[in-house]
Amino acid sequence: MTKTLKQLVRVLWAIEKGLHVIASNTEAKKIKADIKSVHAADIVTGRLSQR
């Protein structure tokens, strides 16, 4: 029984780590998309040349 519980804990820990990585990557992609949209808006409005 103890061995089974240890295995379960390992599996749950691995799942948690995987979900954390997925969440981090999703947030990074969102930030990158936000930055691209800001740069695109600067190009369209001509603000980029004023910097």
Side-chain angles (χ1 to χ4, degrees), residues 1-12:
M1 173 101 174
T2 302
K3 183 178 178 181
T4 304
L5 288 175
K6 286 181 181 180
Q7 289 173 337
L8 177 61
V9 168
R10 285 188 196 132
V11 169
L12 292 175

Side-chain angles (χ1 to χ4, degrees), residues 1-41:
M1 173 101 174
T2 302
K3 183 178 178 181
T4 304
L5 288 175
K6 286 181 181 180
Q7 289 173 337
L8 177 61
V9 168
R10 285 188 196 132
V11 169
L12 292 175
W13 181 257
I15 291 170
E16 182 185 12
K17 281 179 68 175
L19 290 174
H20 179 71
V21 169
I22 291 169
S24 295
N25 289 342
T26 302
E27 185 65 23
K29 285 181 182 179
K30 181 181 179 293
I31 290 170
K32 187 175 180 179
D34 290 346
I35 290 170
K36 282 184 179 180
S37 68
V38 167
H39 287 302

